[in-house]
Amino acid sequence: MSKEKILKFYKFEGALNDFIVIDGRFNKLENPEEYAKLLLDRHASIGGDSLLYLEESDVADIKMRVLEKDGSESQMCGNGARCIGLYFERFYGIGNITIETLAGVKKVKKVSENRFVVSMGPMQKLRNFVNGPRNEYELIHELFSFKIFVVNSSEPHAVIPLKSIKRIPKEKGLKISKNFKLFPYGINVDFIEILNEETIKIRTIERGVYEETLACGTGAVASAYVFNKFLGGKDIVHVKALGGELKVELGKNENYLEGEAHYVFKGDIEL
């Protein structure tokens, strides 16, 4: 990593899930994973939940890589995708884009000022995110006396319903998130509280970050899906995160995530 490199970056947030955006088409990085570990440090650098590194794509308008604080790469980020939608709208005047991710191509559409909807695709197979026998798409399991519902909404999530999430068992949540014997790549953990048949509250511990974030887009979709399929929820679910409210619309072949995205600032950092 060059000590004299000047790097242009942008800061965005969606429901206070905050991101550093680096457009690799103009600021190419040889090892962006290493830059993620450096730049996401909130005390010694810019700080953020994830680094969204953009590259050219052969199948979409842009490729988005989601890089975490530990240097790992996530499959997809719903809040991040909305922020990239805003990046293209603000700096290039393009309202609708397609984004290549490790979980497939996602469509992002502007619906109003600072508000975007992401076509998240259908729920995906659990694949090698979970060890042991299970249904291809779902695992219902018990850990630390919690009933957990494991699904893949473009990212693997363990959804845990509680009577109240005013206080969550973070230590146990972290142990589940880092249970690499069961979840070889770690797993996102979502604690949810049902308010009514159309509304839930959510608090999420994200893998790669391994701490609580103020919102998680794929977590909102995973939780809405579990709520709808197993706990009596509707097809349209309002998900109240600590950082803001997201709207999830569930369909047979497509799930949609809608919410706000905001540009925070841009700058140059010398490395």
Side-chain angles (χ1 to χ4, degrees):
M1 189 181 296
S2 172
K3 293 183 179 180
E4 299 180 354
K5 187 177 183 67
I6 303 296
L7 190 62
K8 181 178 289 293
F9 70 90
Y10 302 82
K11 191 75 182 287
F12 287 84
E13 61 88 6
L16 298 185
N17 195 189
D18 62 332
F19 307 97
I20 299 170
V21 175
I22 295 176
D23 197 329
R25 298 173 300 171
F26 313 113
N27 292 272
K28 184 175 175 59
L29 302 178
E30 293 300 326
N31 297 294
E33 301 88 350
E34 293 301 313
Y35 282 90
K37 290 191 285 186
L38 173 66
L39 297 175
L40 292 171
D41 188 319
R42 294 190 185 276
H43 302 289
S45 191
I46 302 165
D49 288 327
S50 302
L51 168 63
L52 306 179
Y53 183 66
L54 304 182
E55 297 177 339
E56 296 283 1
S57 172
D58 294 328
V59 296
D61 295 318
I62 198 71
K63 179 179 180 180
M64 178 182 77
R65 297 182 62 189
V66 184
L67 304 174
E68 308 296 0
K69 291 181 180 180
D70 64 355
S72 64
E73 184 168 359
S74 293
Q75 298 282 295
M76 166 59 181
C77 179
N79 291 333
R82 294 201 317 280
C83 288
I84 298 306
L86 177 58
Y87 171 72
F88 271 82
E89 191 268 336
R90 182 182 180 92
F91 292 102
Y92 298 99
I94 302 172
N96 303 331
I97 62 168
T98 55
I99 301 176
E100 178 188 353
T101 74
L102 290 178
V105 175
K106 311 298 181 184
K107 297 178 181 178
V108 182
K109 179 180 179 181
K110 181 179 179 180
V111 293
S112 61
E113 187 69 21
N114 290 321
R115 193 168 183 86
F116 294 80
V117 61
V118 184
S119 300
M120 299 288 288
M123 301 301 287
Q124 300 186 4
K125 294 180 180 180
L126 293 175
R127 303 195 306 276
N128 59 346
F129 288 118
V130 181
N131 281 330
R134 81 277 181 182
N135 179 293
E136 274 191 315
Y137 288 90
E138 297 148 5
L139 169 69
I140 300 176
H141 195 63
E142 188 168 308
L143 282 175
F144 302 110
S145 74
F146 296 126
K147 187 175 185 179
I148 67 173
F149 299 83
V150 181
V151 295
N152 182 1
S153 58
S154 295
E155 265 287 300
H157 283 265
V159 180
I160 303 174
L162 297 177
K163 289 183 179 180
S164 171
I165 60 169
K166 186 175 182 179
R167 295 180 180 177
I168 60 171
K170 288 187 181 181
E171 186 175 334
K172 290 182 178 179
L174 279 169
K175 287 181 178 179
I176 294 172
S177 187
K178 294 182 176 182
N179 186 338
F180 299 115
K181 184 176 180 180
L182 181 58
F183 309 115
Y185 301 98
I187 196 163
N188 304 286
V189 177
D190 307 294
F191 295 100
I192 65 169
E193 175 186 342
I194 298 171
L195 299 183
N196 55 54
E197 61 185 5
E198 297 177 341
T199 313
I200 59 175
K201 287 184 177 179
I202 185 173
R203 293 179 67 176
T204 300
I205 295 171
E206 291 195 41
R207 71 183 185 121
V209 182
Y210 294 113
E211 60 187 40
E212 185 177 10
T213 58
L214 296 179
C216 176
T218 56
V221 175
S223 297
Y225 174 82
V226 168
F227 178 42
N228 170 261
K229 183 167 183 179
F230 299 104
L231 304 170
K234 296 286 191 179
D235 292 336
I236 296 178
V237 181
H238 299 277
V239 182
K240 295 180 178 291
L242 293 177
E245 184 171 318
L246 300 168
K247 176 184 173 183
V248 177
E249 184 174 347
L250 301 166
K252 184 177 180 180
N253 299 311
E254 188 74 69
N255 299 313
Y256 298 93
L257 173 69
E258 183 178 328
E260 292 189 359
H262 296 276
Y263 168 66
V264 184
F265 61 85
K266 65 179 178 179
D268 298 312
I269 186 168
E270 183 177 344
L271 300 171

